Amino acid sequence: MKKIFIKINLFFLFLTTLLIIILSTTGIETAKFNNLISEKINSNNQKIYVKLQKIKFKFDIKNFSLFLETSNPNLEYQNFKMPVKNIKVYVGLMSFLQSETKISMVNIISKEIEISELKKIVIQMKPSNLNSFINNRIEKGKLNTNIEIYLSNNQKMENYIIKGEVKDMVIKLDTDFRLSKTEFNFFADQSDILIKNIKTKSEGVSIDNGSLKIE
């Protein structure tokens, strides 16, 4: 009897290990959560429209959490198609085991965005003075972003973090004065924006490893 009990335990241990390996690597494709994720994202901001195709159910070993992942989704803001590479939606383990699945965090990773395309988005966002600077002072550049949106228990946006990098940017500070080949990393949340590792050149003057904080 004891040997049978040990074999059963070893069998379930093997199945659990195999399932964790599959979920943490290739994942399991599912269409069950397509509507749920789309509704949660769309309901938090009516200006955003998202439509998902293939979703993979995966397991994050490092954070010991379940998440749903999709690549190249159709994501639009104000009818402008966003160049999104990947979306991860983290769900609470206990809520998943129960009848009501709750989303704890949404992670959106963009493809490389041209500043000229970004201007079409930021012109409708706040603060207006930052929008004015981007549209009137930044002539060109490329942007990569990673956006994390945190949801409360009632599934409303509680906090967000935006981080990424900018490269090949040209900033017009005056009619005859421009900063070229500008690069930097940035981190933003609800309180402020941190800009680090600023590199730029202008008429023989260069800045290396600069930093800036915007409240």
Side-chain angles (χ1 to χ4, degrees), residues 13 51 70 72 105 121 131 136 147 154 156 161 186:
L13 180 61
K51 184 177 180 181
T70 184
N72 301 311
M105 193 263 280
I121 306 171
N131 297 348
N136 299 321
I147 304 172
N154 60 2
K156 298 296 181 181
I161 293 174
F186 64 89

Side-chain angles (χ1 to χ4, degrees), residues 171-183:
I171 305 173
K172 182 177 70 174
L173 297 180
D174 201 346
T175 305
D176 300 318
F177 187 71
R178 283 172 171 79
L179 298 176
S180 61
K181 296 183 180 179
T182 304
E183 300 179 1

Side-chain angles (χ1 to χ4, degrees), residues 60 131 152 178 214:
D60 188 335
N131 297 348
S152 62
R178 283 172 171 79
I214 305 172

Side-chain angles (χ1 to χ4, degrees), residues 155-170:
Q155 298 298 273
K156 298 296 181 181
M157 188 172 72
E158 189 174 51
N159 195 8
Y160 66 84
I161 293 174
I162 304 174
K163 50 191 173 182
E165 62 176 355
V166 170
K167 59 183 181 181
D168 299 328
M169 179 180 283
V170 176

Side-chain angles (χ1 to χ4, degrees), residues 36 60 90 92-93 107 128 130 138 142 162 170 194 212 214:
L36 171 67
D60 188 335
Y90 287 78
L93 181 59
N107 180 218
S128 58
L130 181 59
I138 298 179
K142 297 177 182 179
I162 304 174
V170 176
L194 299 177
L212 177 69
I214 305 172

Side-chain angles (χ1 to χ4, degrees), residues 93-107:
L93 181 59
M94 292 305 297
S95 70
F96 178 77
L97 296 175
Q98 297 170 357
S99 58
E100 184 181 1
T101 302
K102 290 187 176 181
I103 296 173
S104 59
M105 193 263 280
V106 178
N107 180 218

Side-chain angles (χ1 to χ4, degrees), residues 52-73:
L52 308 176
Q53 301 296 330
K54 294 181 179 180
I55 292 180
K56 286 192 174 183
F57 188 66
K58 304 183 80 173
F59 181 72
D60 188 335
I61 295 179
K62 183 178 179 180
N63 297 311
F64 199 74
S65 56
L66 300 170
F67 69 93
L68 301 151
E69 182 179 38
T70 184
S71 300
N72 301 311

